[in-house]
Amino acid sequence: MSWKNTENHYGSISIKMHWLMFIVIAATFAFIEARVFFEKGTEMRDLFKMWHFMLGLLILAMVLIRLYFRLVQVSPKISPPLSTTQALAAKGAHLVLYAFMIAMPIAGWLMLSAFGKPIPFFGFELPALIAKNKALGKSIEELHELVGMLGYYLIGFHAAAALVHHYFQKDDTLTRMLPEKKS
C-alpha cells in the first residue's frame, strides 16, 4: 500500500492517522467520563483530568498534521459517485468534524489558562493563552462540556454515515479508509 493517497484509495498515512485519531479521541472522552469514579481532589481524579487535557492537545497536533496531508494530497473519489446533495452534506459534515477537533482542544487550553492552572503536555507545560479570569473560565468550561456532549452525536453520525454508505448505498466510502487487502 502506498503511503500517499491515490484517486481510488487513501494512503497508509491517512488511514493510520484516521484510526489513531479515533483511538485518541475515544481515550480523551473515556478519561473525562471515568474521572467521576474518583472523589474530587483525589490524585487519581486529577490524573484522569490531566490525561484528558494532554490527549486533547495531542488531538489538536494530530488534526493539524492531517489537515496538512489533506491539503497536499488528492482525496480519493467515492465510487459510485455521490449525488450533489450528498457530496455537499459530506463536505459539511467533515468541516464540522475538523472544527470540532480544533475548537475543543483550544477551548480546553483557554479554560485551563483562565482558571490559572498549568497546561500539561507530556512532560512540558504550555503557556497560558489568556490571563486568569475565573468567570471567563467557567463560561468556556460550560461551552466545552456542551460541545463535548454534542461531539458524541457528531462522531456517532460520522460512523453511522460510513455504515449506511457501505451496507445500503453499497459505495466505497468506508473501504477507502480501510487498509487494502493484500492480493
Side-chain angles (χ1 to χ4, degrees), residues 3-5 65-75:
W3 65 274
K4 292 176 86 175
N5 297 351
I65 292 167
R66 263 188 92 185
L67 281 171
Y68 168 77
F69 278 102
R70 192 173 172 116
L71 290 172
V72 300
Q73 293 192 71
V74 64
S75 287

Side-chain angles (χ1 to χ4, degrees), residues 75-115:
S75 287
K77 291 178 175 56
I78 296 173
S79 180
L82 301 179
S83 70
T84 304
T85 305
Q86 278 188 315
L88 285 172
K91 285 186 189 300
H94 279 100
L95 182 65
V96 172
L97 274 167
Y98 277 99
F100 174 79
M101 292 184 290
I102 292 169
M104 287 298 285
I106 292 173
W109 193 345
L110 287 167
M111 179 180 60
L112 287 178
S113 299
F115 285 138

Side-chain angles (χ1 to χ4, degrees), residues 13 22 27 51 53 60 63 80 82 97 100 104 107 112 117 122 125 128 139 141 178 180-181:
I13 290 177
F22 164 73
W51 274 101
F53 300 142
L60 179 61
V63 77
L82 301 179
L97 274 167
F100 174 79
M104 287 298 285
L112 287 178
K117 294 185 176 179
F122 301 101
E125 188 173 316
S139 295
E141 181 178 38
L178 297 174
E180 289 182 298
K181 292 179 181 172

Side-chain angles (χ1 to χ4, degrees), residues 46-57:
D46 290 342
L47 183 65
F48 273 55
K49 287 171 36 178
M50 181 185 74
W51 274 101
H52 172 77
F53 300 142
M54 291 190 309
L55 291 175
L57 291 169

Side-chain angles (χ1 to χ4, degrees), residues 1-182:
M1 168 185 284
S2 172
W3 65 274
K4 292 176 86 175
N5 297 351
T6 67
E7 289 287 327
N8 302 317
H9 203 273
Y10 284 101
S12 61
I13 290 177
S14 295
I15 292 171
K16 287 174 182 166
M17 285 294 289
H18 176 272
W19 294 107
L20 181 59
M21 286 191 73
F22 164 73
I23 292 167
V24 174
I25 289 168
T28 304
F29 275 105
F31 274 111
I32 204 61
E33 294 296 341
R35 82 192 185 289
V36 300
F37 295 116
F38 307 99
E39 288 185 42
K40 286 187 178 183
T42 62
E43 190 176 318
M44 191 60 87
R45 185 179 177 112
D46 290 342
L47 183 65
F48 273 55
K49 287 171 36 178
M50 181 185 74
W51 274 101
H52 172 77
F53 300 142
M54 291 190 309
L55 291 175
L57 291 169
L58 181 60
I59 291 166
L60 179 61
M62 292 173 72
V63 77
L64 295 176
I65 292 167
R66 263 188 92 185
L67 281 171
Y68 168 77
F69 278 102
R70 192 173 172 116
L71 290 172
V72 300
Q73 293 192 71
V74 64
S75 287
K77 291 178 175 56
I78 296 173
S79 180
L82 301 179
S83 70
T84 304
T85 305
Q86 278 188 315
L88 285 172
K91 285 186 189 300
H94 279 100
L95 182 65
V96 172
L97 274 167
Y98 277 99
F100 174 79
M101 292 184 290
I102 292 169
M104 287 298 285
I106 292 173
W109 193 345
L110 287 167
M111 179 180 60
L112 287 178
S113 299
F115 285 138
K117 294 185 176 179
I119 297 92
F121 189 67
F122 301 101
F124 297 98
E125 188 173 316
L126 301 179
L129 294 178
I130 56 176
K132 188 174 179 178
N133 180 333
K134 287 194 178 194
L136 178 60
K138 191 66 181 158
S139 295
I140 296 169
E141 181 178 38
E142 289 170 5
L143 182 62
H144 186 74
E145 288 175 4
L146 173 64
V147 175
M149 292 304 295
L150 295 173
Y152 286 114
Y153 296 102
L154 180 62
I155 293 163
F157 175 77
H158 178 68
L163 294 173
V164 165
H165 277 279
H166 186 71
Y167 290 107
F168 296 101
Q169 290 190 234
K170 307 256 188 242
D171 62 33
D172 65 352
T173 297
L174 176 63
T175 57
R176 293 174 316 138
M177 191 50 81
L178 297 174
E180 289 182 298
K181 292 179 181 172
K182 294 180 180 174

